[in-house]
Amino acid sequence: MEFTRFLDCLAADYDRLRSAVETDADAPVPTCPGWTVADLTRHVAEVYLHKTLAMREGVEADPWPPKEFADEEPVARLDRGYTALRAEFATRAPEDPAAGWYAADRSVGFWIRRMAQETVVHRIDAELAVGRPVAPVPDDLAVDGVDELLKVFVSFAVAEWGEYFGEILEASPGRTFLVRAGGTAWRVRTGPGEFTVADGAGEGPADATLSGPPEAVLRRLWNRTGAGEDDGVTVEGDPEAVEELRRCVVVATQ
């Protein structure tokens, strides 16, 4: 996706998120157990402000958030965070350097993509929490979100912080997974200390296959499917393999 497209998606999903969170601050968020809509609002605001500083100052602030944030009303903080984030994006080129946890891409462009994906997932949270219909996720954004989750979150996390996945992967016999989102596919290989992702379906059988429309696959992998909702995702193969993939995603994204 072009960075201008990410920014357009970010703006559209922010508007939906903003509209939803102001309707019922006390509503529980079913996809974020233990959170209310107010908690979700604070989280997104703090992420926006944290990444703004990562670009502006070249470091990721720690500890975070500052104590003074506790006195700020959540929606006001969300507005402030989004305004600051967009202003920072407007003054920098995607290739400009920025601090970040993803060693393979420490650039402003990484945060443009990440904030677009962060926002679409959390506006789904907000819509589910307040009982609104979940607005469609464009296919291109959903496909990119699946790609980001598999490569940037899970594969990178296993390579960098493998100790967190030891219980899941050390006993893995070595498995192959096929993930399909519409017409796009990824082939995933796991094993002790391994979670590698290749573009395309590849050749040979897979131990498990997860397939469906792009939005449905994105929401399934991020565990953003509504209660009782038939999301149209098809899961086939060895149940133990399916559980291995699920647990890797959960650890990488929690």
Side-chain angles (χ1 to χ4, degrees):
M1 288 175 64
E2 297 290 332
F3 289 113
T4 53
R5 173 67 174 149
F6 281 124
L7 290 170
D8 288 344
C9 291
L10 171 60
D13 284 315
Y14 176 77
D15 287 345
R16 295 185 183 103
L17 169 70
R18 175 64 170 76
S19 176
V21 300
E22 67 181 352
T23 62
D24 188 355
D26 295 326
V29 183
T31 42
C32 300
W35 277 12
T36 65
V37 167
D39 296 323
L40 176 70
T41 306
R42 292 187 191 96
H43 168 76
V44 178
E46 289 163 6
V47 169
Y48 288 165
L49 290 164
H50 189 260
K51 306 322 171 190
T52 297
L53 289 178
M55 292 181 282
R56 183 182 301 158
E57 299 184 4
V59 295
E60 288 198 286
D62 185 29
W64 188 263
K67 292 180 180 179
E68 58 267 25
F69 278 15
D71 298 326
E72 190 173 9
E73 193 274 328
V75 174
R77 190 189 311 169
L78 181 67
D79 287 340
R80 181 167 69 87
Y82 181 70
T83 298
L85 182 74
R86 290 307 300 253
E88 205 64 30
F89 287 153
T91 62
R92 301 181 185 277
E95 62 270 19
D96 285 351
W101 51 265
Y102 185 55
D105 184 4
R106 291 190 170 114
S107 71
V108 171
F110 173 82
W111 289 123
I112 292 174
R113 180 195 195 191
R114 177 82 285 280
M115 291 302 95
Q117 295 295 347
E118 177 87 1
T119 304
V120 71
V121 168
H122 286 317
R123 69 91 168 155
I124 292 170
D125 290 330
E127 288 168 334
L128 291 171
V130 303
R132 289 189 177 182
V134 174
V137 179
D139 283 353
D140 58 348
L141 185 66
V143 168
D144 181 80
V146 174
D147 186 84
E148 184 202 42
L149 186 150
L150 293 174
K151 296 176 183 176
V152 174
F153 278 87
V154 193
S155 183
F156 179 76
V158 171
E160 289 292 308
W161 304 294
E163 63 272 19
Y164 293 104
F165 300 86
E167 184 181 342
I168 304 168
L169 293 176
E170 282 180 5
S172 174
R175 293 184 168 110
T176 300
F177 304 86
L178 184 60
V179 178
R180 292 185 180 274
T184 305
W186 300 262
R187 197 170 187 86
V188 177
R189 178 73 181 175
T190 64
E194 178 186 2
F195 190 105
T196 57
V197 183
D199 293 331
E203 298 181 357
D207 294 288
T209 300
L210 186 150
S211 60
E215 175 183 346
V217 173
L218 177 72
R219 291 178 62 186
R220 172 67 72 91
L221 289 174
W222 273 106
N223 196 27
R224 258 62 185 191
T225 302
E229 180 181 355
D230 181 4
D231 60 8
V233 173
T234 299
V235 180
E236 300 174 315
D238 178 3
E240 290 187 3
V242 173
E243 179 64 7
E244 180 178 290
L245 177 64
R246 187 196 69 82
R247 291 178 68 197
C248 284
V249 172
V250 168
V251 171
T253 57
Q254 64 186 3

